[in-house]
Structure formats: structure tokens, C-alpha cells
Amino acid sequence: MSDRKPSPFPVLLNNDICSLIEAAKDVYQVRFKNRAANAYVVRGKSRTVMIDVGLSSNFPALRECLQHIDCPPEKIDMVILSHEHLDHIGAAWHFGGRTIIAAHRLAANKIMLRDDFSMLRKMFNEPNVPINVDIWLEEGNLLDLGNFRLNVMYTPGHTSACITLFDQEQGLLFAADTLMPGGVMGGVFGSGSISDYIQSLERLKGLNSKILLSGHGRLSDTPQEDVRIAIARSHGLLSDTAQLFDALDARQNFEPIMQSVRDLNKLDDA
């Protein structure tokens, strides 16, 4: 029998593809049941935004959820992409043309250049369609929705381009793949760094967050405990990585690289 207490977050809609869950007043999570990342709707008094949108193949189910709360795609003023991975951004092209698309400048560059490696295209069977980013976000930007004020935090680690959104007044922490319930980390991919990850988690620890709205999994009303566990795990990962490199003969492994450099230098002398 599970010791976990019943979820305080009501489920408003449940189908084969996803669930629609109310995280707070005018804040909704669309939790997909396949590999797609969670999508969030924040319905402000002056404008409505979505944070991540999941995979393109799930768009019909996403639209059903949006219509259930009387917020169809046509009413979304801005889609904010937390980083460049396709499980978070794949459906963004369905919003293009009528909705502003925003992302951190590093993510925007990868997305608009269609950097398949960085976007993990081979991991997801998604259409290779262009996604245009209209606004480049930076650390310190403030998105004022009227009854919500989302502060943009640059939180690299999972990738070099990750952002977190935080509403200080209401304690809403939209952490994408930087932090998940139970202290689960989203892993370090491509341009990411475990040391950057630790620094980002330390920043999240200093926030007065009340609800964690992450890129995968359930909503959490214990974000302080979640981030404490994640920091401990990340330091363990850093230690494991150090031991791995200590076990390698660095000179032996780097010698072929250095020989290649010497060979290239000889070409200049020819």
C-alpha cells in the first residue's frame, strides 16, 4: 500500500492520451501518457500563455484539453519553450502564425536552425517542420499576465538553453526538466553540464516555491524537499563522473587526438 497522500490537484479530464489537471486557479497541467513532456496553461487577466506543448502527434488531445477549459489554441497569446528538446516543443508549429513563440536565445538558435542532434529528433518520430521563435528570452525577463508575473530564470544543466519560470507571489515553479517530483533530474544532454546543473538547482533551492510544475510526472506540493534531494543526487553524479575519469589513462586516450593535431600542423609546413 502506497504511503503517498492523495493528490490535492483535481483531474478535470482524462483520455487515452493525456490528463488535464488543475494545479491552481487558472493554472492547468496537461500530462501526457506517452513520452511527451507536460504542457501548462496559465490563464492571465491580460494574456494567456502555454509553457511547453508536447509532441506534435499529441496535438489533437492537447486541443481537446484546451477546449475543455474554454481556452482553444486561438486564445493562446504566447507559447514559451523551456528548452529545445522535441518532446517539449514538437507541437509548437501548430501555433505558429497566430501565437507568439518564445524561448531562450540559445534554444531559439538551435530550434530555428533545425539542429536535429540538439533537438533529439531521432528519439521522437516527429515531422521535420520549421518552428519559428519570435522572442528571445533572457535571465531577468518578466512576463506580466495581469494576475501572474512569471520571472525568467536561466537554469542550464540539462541543456545549455534551459529556462525556469517562477511566480514569486503564488510560489509557482515551472522547472521543466531541471527538477521533477521526488528530486528526479532530467539528465545531462549534449550541451548540458552537471556543474551547471548543480548551480541551477542551488538557485531553485533559494526560492520560496510552493508548487512544482515540472516537465514530466505529477505536480508536487513539496518543491523544497524535491530540490534538496536533487542537489544531493547531482553531487553524487559529479563524484561518480570524477571517479570514472580517474579510472581512465588520460594520456593513452588523448594521444590519438594530439597526434591528429600534430599531423594537421605538418600540413601548414608543407
Side-chain angles (χ1 to χ4, degrees):
M1 191 174 199
S2 175
D3 294 331
R4 183 183 296 171
K5 63 182 180 180
S7 172
F9 307 107
V11 177
L12 307 181
L13 178 69
N14 189 29
N15 59 36
D16 292 339
I17 305 298
C18 61
S19 300
L20 174 67
I21 301 163
E22 185 176 25
K25 180 176 171 53
D26 293 321
V27 180
Y28 306 91
Q29 179 195 62
V30 180
R31 187 189 308 169
F32 293 102
K33 299 176 182 179
N34 53 18
R35 293 191 297 165
N38 297 330
Y40 293 95
V41 180
V42 184
R43 185 159 50 194
K45 290 181 178 178
S46 58
R47 56 187 59 84
T48 296
V49 303
M50 286 197 68
I51 302 166
D52 290 336
V53 288
L55 293 167
S56 176
S57 55
N58 291 340
F59 183 71
L62 174 61
R63 182 169 51 200
E64 180 184 354
C65 290
L66 295 177
Q67 290 172 339
H68 186 81
I69 55 174
D70 191 28
C71 192
E74 294 77 19
K75 290 186 178 181
I76 303 296
D77 298 295
M78 178 183 287
V79 167
I80 303 166
L81 306 177
S82 64
H83 60 291
E84 65 272 19
H85 288 166
L86 275 170
D87 55 327
H88 293 255
I89 73 170
W93 72 277
H94 293 283
F95 294 85
R98 62 176 178 270
T99 301
I100 295 171
I101 309 293
H104 187 270
R105 61 180 177 82
L106 294 179
N109 187 50
K110 297 170 189 174
I111 293 167
M112 295 186 71
L113 288 175
R114 297 159 87 168
D115 183 340
D116 288 349
F117 174 78
S118 295
M119 294 166 67
L120 305 182
R121 187 170 299 281
K122 284 191 175 182
M123 289 181 62
F124 305 99
N125 187 22
E126 288 286 272
N128 190 1
V129 294
I131 298 173
N132 293 317
V133 180
D134 304 296
I135 294 179
W136 290 16
L137 299 173
E138 295 284 359
E139 165 78 28
N141 289 157
L142 177 65
L143 306 174
D144 191 344
L145 312 183
N147 50 332
F148 298 96
R149 292 165 64 85
L150 301 176
N151 290 280
V152 177
M153 300 176 63
Y154 176 49
T155 50
H158 176 63
T159 75
S160 65
C162 289
I163 57 172
T164 293
L165 300 170
F166 181 58
D167 184 301
Q168 183 172 356
E169 183 176 341
Q170 302 193 44
L172 302 174
L173 182 64
F174 297 90
D177 285 2
T178 299
L179 176 65
M180 300 182 201
V184 174
M185 301 163 57
V188 178
F189 283 79
S191 60
S193 160
I194 184 60
S195 54
D196 287 344
Y197 214 139
I198 291 172
Q199 185 178 50
S200 294
L201 289 171
E202 290 287 354
R203 292 190 65 198
L204 299 187
K205 184 178 72 171
L207 303 176
N208 184 29
S209 53
K210 299 175 182 176
I211 300 177
L212 171 62
L213 307 97
S214 64
H216 299 271
R218 59 182 175 85
L219 296 159
S220 171
D221 58 358
T222 59
Q224 299 298 322
E225 177 68 6
D226 296 331
V227 74
R228 183 192 65 78
I229 296 171
I231 289 172
R233 286 177 172 168
S234 62
H235 279 283
L237 179 60
L238 187 64
S239 176
D240 291 344
T241 303
Q243 292 179 36
L244 173 63
F245 279 103
D246 286 344
L248 297 175
D249 183 341
R251 178 173 297 177
Q252 177 180 339
N253 283 277
F254 280 101
E255 178 57 30
I257 299 174
M258 295 308 300
Q259 183 60 51
S260 296
V261 172
R262 287 192 289 269
D263 290 343
L264 287 172
N265 289 337
K266 289 178 182 178
L267 293 177
D268 294 333
D269 298 332

